[in-house]
Amino acid sequence: MGYSGKRHDMIVRLRQPYNAESALIPLRESLVTPLDLFYVRGHGNVPGVDPLRYRLEVSGLVEQPLIISLEELRNNFPKATVTAVLQCAGNRRDELMEVTPIPEETPWGAGAIGNARWTGAPLRDVLLAAGVGAETRQAAFLGLDDVEDEGGINYGSSIPIEKAMSPEVLLAYEMNGEPLRPEHGSPLRVVTPGYIGARSVKWLSSITLQTEPSDNPFQAREYKLFPPNVTAETVDYSEGLMLGEASTNAVICEPSDGASLVAGPVWVRGYALAGGGRRVERVDLTADEGSSWSQARLSEDEDQPWAWRFWEASLDLAPGTHRIAVRTFDSASNTQPEDAGAIWNFKGYANNAWHKIKVNAR
Ligand code: MTE
């Protein structure tokens, strides 16, 4: 076992604070990602929070500000479980970095993602108990971790009030049926299914209802999408698209990029997701640069709109080198761009270009 009970084959991107992603073959083994395999993304150190002394503050445009202990949250509010994928906006950044370098950002592969069963109180119920003021447009969250790189501020973000009032958004205290682990935000975190991972604030200390998005740097500056011509030197952070709903994406987990295989039928397997509660409807594979496509078989749809879906297909590979690419279509017929170059951005977010591997069949 590695850090904090994580598997030793995690790909560690940073030791302090611990940031790691899972290797793709183990990630594809279980629809619900085991805790020891679930990626960790933290901007600051893991704060040690005593669950007995923990309090959540709810304030801002509310009728009645609240201060809630963990016990009150467990006992006085409904308990709901949602299976939802959590994906870092930087997932697959390494492919963007091959197009044009992105210095100072973590070179995440395609394993900064996982699918968990989250249990907690629906945020909606807590907000209803406080009374949502008519002017409210945003729910802002603040964490307890100090982020040194940003001058020692606490991590924060916000989501639109319509999303905050949707039943799938949880104040989670359990992950896969176990108490939330320290690195995943214990004792309490927000889980915002269908959105980029950055909006699921860990070690939650307060919720503020307000008219504007959070002015925390992780909402106001980071996690914004800029066109390919904007660079770190030319950027105006007041512009750019504030990332919210995750984009439609599919990844080949097996075989690995660069693998040597026996020619003949080869199983290709991976994951696919559709952001914003849309469904993954189809996954296609090509081994001839997109001239022809074969359709993969999708895992059972268990009516879990916030989860990912697994897929697999058998491709008949003749001896030689093959480039295999995958793309998915969601229930709004959204699909993925062919090339990462078209969506390159200097922060390296939201790469959902066709995922491509090269294999050698003998
Ligand atoms: N919440 C706090 N308080 N601090 C953080 O650094 N990182 C965010 C989000 N919530 C972060 C946070 C980002 S960028 C991601 S992708 C997810 O948490 C990662 O959640 P995980 O570490 O449980 O996988």
Side-chain angles (χ1 to χ4, degrees):
M1 284 286 169
Y3 166 93
S4 202
K6 292 290 172 188
R7 279 169 53 142
H8 56 75
D9 57 356
M10 293 294 280
I11 302 163
V12 179
R13 297 290 177 197
L14 192 65
R15 297 226 155 258
Q16 194 58 258
Y18 178 83
N19 276 260
E21 64 183 296
S22 36
L24 294 181
I25 291 178
L27 189 62
R28 179 57 180 69
E29 279 167 15
S30 170
L31 260 175
V32 172
T33 310
L35 294 182
D36 61 2
L37 203 60
F38 206 97
Y39 83 101
V40 180
R41 174 64 176 126
H43 293 267
N45 282 332
V46 172
V49 188
D50 175 355
L52 292 176
R53 298 178 63 181
Y54 171 82
R55 298 290 182 274
L56 170 69
E57 211 181 301
V58 185
S59 63
L61 299 171
V62 294
E63 286 156 20
Q64 171 69 55
L66 303 177
I67 292 179
I68 311 172
S69 71
L70 203 60
E71 206 183 321
E72 286 166 336
L73 196 78
R74 284 174 173 278
N75 296 339
N76 303 352
F77 293 92
K79 185 174 184 174
T81 296
V82 175
T83 303
V85 76
L86 193 69
Q87 180 189 215
C88 186
N91 196 34
R92 301 184 56 197
R93 179 181 286 134
D94 60 345
E95 299 160 54
L96 295 173
M97 287 171 151
E98 279 173 26
V99 176
T100 305
I102 304 175
E104 293 180 28
E105 295 291 338
T106 310
W108 294 107
I113 187 168
N115 187 53
R117 275 185 300 112
W118 307 96
T119 300
L123 172 59
R124 171 191 171 82
D125 289 278
V126 173
L127 296 184
L128 286 175
V132 179
E135 304 292 292
T136 307
R137 296 286 172 272
Q138 298 276 323
F141 311 118
L142 202 60
L144 288 162
D145 49 336
D146 282 342
V147 186
E148 252 173 54
D149 289 357
E150 295 284 345
I153 54 116
N154 296 112
Y155 181 96
S157 80
S158 56
I159 59 174
I161 190 64
E162 297 76 23
K163 180 69 179 176
M165 293 298 280
S166 299
E168 70 277 5
V169 181
L170 298 183
L171 300 180
Y173 41 75
E174 286 174 21
M175 187 175 177
N176 294 354
E178 286 183 30
L180 209 54
R181 291 190 180 173
E183 69 277 15
H184 292 297
S186 85
L188 194 71
R189 79 174 299 168
V190 182
V191 174
T192 307
Y195 272 45
I196 61 162
R199 309 307 181 217
S200 291
V201 173
K202 303 193 271 190
W203 314 290
L204 181 67
S205 65
S206 69
I207 304 170
T208 310
L209 298 189
Q210 52 195 54
T211 54
E212 299 298 324
S214 168
D215 60 5
N216 188 281
F218 290 99
Q219 184 75 35
R221 276 172 58 102
E222 305 292 312
Y223 301 108
K224 280 187 160 186
L225 199 59
F226 293 92
N229 57 298
V230 174
T231 64
E233 289 71 41
T234 64
V235 66
D236 172 355
Y237 280 105
S238 65
E239 301 202 337
L241 188 159
M242 238 175 217
L243 291 170
E245 285 183 2
S247 43
T248 297
N249 212 337
V251 159
I252 300 168
C253 296
E254 197 186 338
S256 303
D257 188 26
S260 283
L261 311 164
V262 178
V266 169
W267 281 104
V268 184
R269 297 186 173 90
Y271 67 74
L273 63 142
R278 296 178 301 278
R279 289 152 42 98
V280 168
E281 291 289 355
R282 207 178 87 199
V283 171
D284 297 340
L285 286 158
T286 180
D288 57 11
E289 310 292 333
S291 297
S292 63
W293 297 86
S294 52
Q295 211 169 312
R297 193 160 58 89
L298 284 165
S299 57
E300 284 302 304
D301 183 3
E302 291 165 18
D303 199 22
Q304 291 172 336
W306 310 105
W308 61 11
R309 288 183 85 179
F310 279 179
W311 55 264
E312 64 179 8
S314 175
L315 295 184
D316 208 11
L317 299 184
T321 299
H322 299 271
R323 280 165 55 85
I324 304 172
V326 67
R327 68 173 184 199
T328 185
F329 284 85
D330 71 18
S331 47
S333 307
N334 292 320
T335 190
Q336 305 169 236
E338 179 172 348
D339 284 312
I343 49 169
W344 186 91
N345 59 100
F346 84 101
K347 296 293 289 180
Y349 296 137
N351 179 18
N352 71 336
W354 295 358
H355 190 241
K356 299 167 188 166
I357 60 164
K358 199 190 238 179
V359 295
N360 190 31
R362 279 179 296 171

